[in-house]
Amino acid sequence: MNSLTDTIYNPPYSHIYVEREALSYPVAQSLIPALAKRGSRIIEISHYMDLFGRTHQSFPAQKAAPSLILAVKHGNFLYPGAPVCQDFGNKFFYYTSFTMNCPFDCEYCFLQGMYPSANIVLFVNQEDYFAEIKKSLSTHPLYLCISYDTDLLALEALTKMTRRYLDFAISEKALTTEIRTKSAVSVAPLAERLPKDARSRIIMAYSLSPDSVIARFEHRTPGLSARLTAIRTAYKSGFPIRLCFDPLLAVPDFKSVYGEFLSQVRDALQDIPIKDASIGVFRISDGYLKQMRKNRPASALLQYPFINENHVCSYGGRGREMMAFVKEFLSGFLPEDKIFTQ
């Protein structure tokens, strides 16, 4: 934030809205005193959608200083993986959402087309999620993404949700978990809680971009060097490493920008055995894109003349060329069967 923004907005999480139903849950009882102690105002509400689902909210303004909403999740806890996401060869590919929204502010993020609010919702009934996961595991193994539409690690200092999930996952040997992140949070303290065999079932998936792309489009996220350092720490801590080159963006001089970036990644991680890598270009449903353009009318990225194919907007043939370029580079140091494209 700049100084002008600081004078206009409250700091993030200055207001904590809590469903009355959520007050009795241990997660809420742990969070509320800690947040109140640091000056957050605690406000009771009946239902999170009364606040989160209101019309005429300003997504960009809320991104500058989000509130936190503590709520109880009802209904489904597990969802089949979306067709636009890689399943990495897993038949039972699901995701779950302990939170709604992300602390980062990437211009291409689909959440700004999906949700009417940029405030962060944290569901406090984590035990209900665990019960549903156990129920699913009773019939088949599970490949579960827990940071699918948020960045759970980036919220860890505030929520401790990743820690609670890993404590649960230790004993579930048929459960494989992907934790995707752009953060540079050290996972070493999390690894210390897990035996070696449990760590092997937790895939740390790092989304990587060139520094120029990060600076222009991935607001509030760590730079490339910090992410690469976090990867090395995660590997030394015993976690399998996945590299995610997704979304690729059609920036000017694409081959030069991404070629230099890929060389930097290769050189920094050449002594680390990478589990696999994923490649995907920017792609979004036409309905989401319409709302995203309303939220960011000045975004050159979103105003690009995308090609709409079956209600999915992307770069068409140019996108396929971009993916082929990155795949060819990665094949120089990764086996082809470890490179997944979308």
Side-chain angles (χ1 to χ4, degrees):
M1 289 186 192
N2 58 36
S3 58
L4 176 60
T5 305
D6 290 340
T7 65
I8 296 174
Y9 294 105
N10 291 313
Y13 317 124
S14 64
H15 289 67
I16 313 300
Y17 297 89
V18 188
E19 285 185 347
R20 293 183 183 90
E21 185 184 359
L23 287 167
S24 62
Y25 285 84
V27 172
Q29 291 177 350
S30 172
L31 271 173
I32 291 171
L35 291 167
K37 187 175 181 180
R38 75 179 206 180
S40 297
R41 182 182 175 191
I42 312 300
I43 305 165
E44 291 186 22
I45 58 175
S46 296
H47 192 273
Y48 80 94
M49 283 303 293
D50 295 340
L51 183 72
F52 189 82
R54 290 180 298 121
T55 58
H56 306 299
Q57 298 186 74
S58 172
F59 201 98
Q62 290 175 342
K63 266 296 182 185
S67 295
L68 179 66
I69 305 171
L70 305 183
V72 176
K73 170 74 170 175
H74 295 284
N76 295 330
F77 294 93
L78 297 179
Y79 303 91
V84 295
C85 296
Q86 288 102 341
D87 60 14
F88 299 96
N90 294 280
K91 180 179 180 181
F92 300 105
F93 164 44
Y94 287 81
Y95 74 96
T96 192
S97 298
F98 299 117
T99 70
M100 297 168 68
N101 273 326
C102 176
F104 297 141
D105 187 22
C106 300
E107 287 193 21
Y108 52 73
C109 181
F110 70 95
L111 297 177
Q112 63 192 315
M114 180 176 177
Y115 295 141
S117 172
N119 291 322
I120 291 177
V121 178
L122 174 65
F123 293 113
V124 299
N125 53 324
Q126 212 169 4
E127 293 297 329
D128 292 333
Y129 286 81
F130 298 159
E132 189 68 19
I133 294 169
K134 276 182 169 291
K135 181 179 177 181
S136 183
L137 287 169
S138 69
T139 59
H140 55 68
L142 198 62
Y143 177 83
L144 185 64
C145 298
I146 67 168
S147 195
Y148 181 87
D149 46 13
T150 186
D151 195 311
L152 211 57
L153 269 185
L155 288 165
E156 183 64 9
L158 177 71
T159 69
K160 305 295 188 294
M161 296 298 272
T162 309
R163 178 177 302 184
R164 295 187 185 95
Y165 173 84
L166 293 179
D167 288 345
F168 156 77
I170 286 176
S171 59
E172 304 299 333
K173 298 188 183 300
L175 174 63
T176 300
T177 303
E178 183 203 77
I179 304 176
R180 188 167 297 205
T181 187
K182 290 187 177 81
S183 80
V185 172
S186 172
V187 295
L190 297 175
E192 292 172 359
R193 308 171 69 86
L194 303 173
K196 186 175 181 180
D197 71 303
R199 295 179 213 174
S200 69
R201 293 184 271 110
I202 308 297
I203 301 167
M204 292 303 307
Y206 286 88
S207 296
L208 302 175
S209 298
D211 269 322
S212 58
V213 169
I214 293 171
R216 187 174 181 187
F217 301 119
E218 297 182 0
H219 310 298
R220 303 194 188 102
T221 66
L224 177 60
S225 178
R227 296 187 206 182
L228 293 174
T229 297
I231 290 172
R232 297 191 66 85
T233 299
Y235 168 69
K236 291 177 181 178
S237 299
F239 294 111
I241 301 299
R242 170 171 293 148
L243 304 181
C244 304
F245 303 96
D246 185 1
L248 305 177
L249 302 179
V251 298
D253 300 319
F254 175 86
K255 290 185 177 180
S256 174
V257 170
Y258 275 85
E260 181 179 348
F261 153 66
L262 291 166
S263 295
Q264 186 177 351
V265 173
R266 177 197 60 200
D267 294 347
L269 304 178
Q270 58 185 337
D271 59 331
I272 291 179
I274 302 301
K275 174 180 173 58
D276 52 36
S278 68
I279 309 170
V281 297
F282 175 76
R283 58 208 181 276
I284 197 75
S285 75
D286 52 7
Y288 284 2
L289 181 61
K290 181 179 179 181
Q291 183 59 43
M292 291 161 69
R293 284 173 165 170
K294 287 182 179 179
N295 286 332
R296 295 186 188 269
S299 172
L301 188 161
L302 297 178
Q303 299 304 327
Y304 186 92
F306 297 108
I307 296 173
N308 189 328
E309 297 177 329
N310 298 318
H311 300 288
V312 176
C313 298
S314 191
Y315 298 118
R318 184 179 183 186
R320 289 185 283 274
E321 291 175 3
M322 291 157 56
M323 285 204 297
F325 173 79
V326 175
K327 184 176 182 180
E328 182 179 3
F329 190 102
L330 293 180
S331 65
F333 61 96
L334 277 179
E336 189 164 342
D337 63 355
K338 290 188 175 184
I339 303 173
F340 294 83
T341 59
Q342 182 64 50

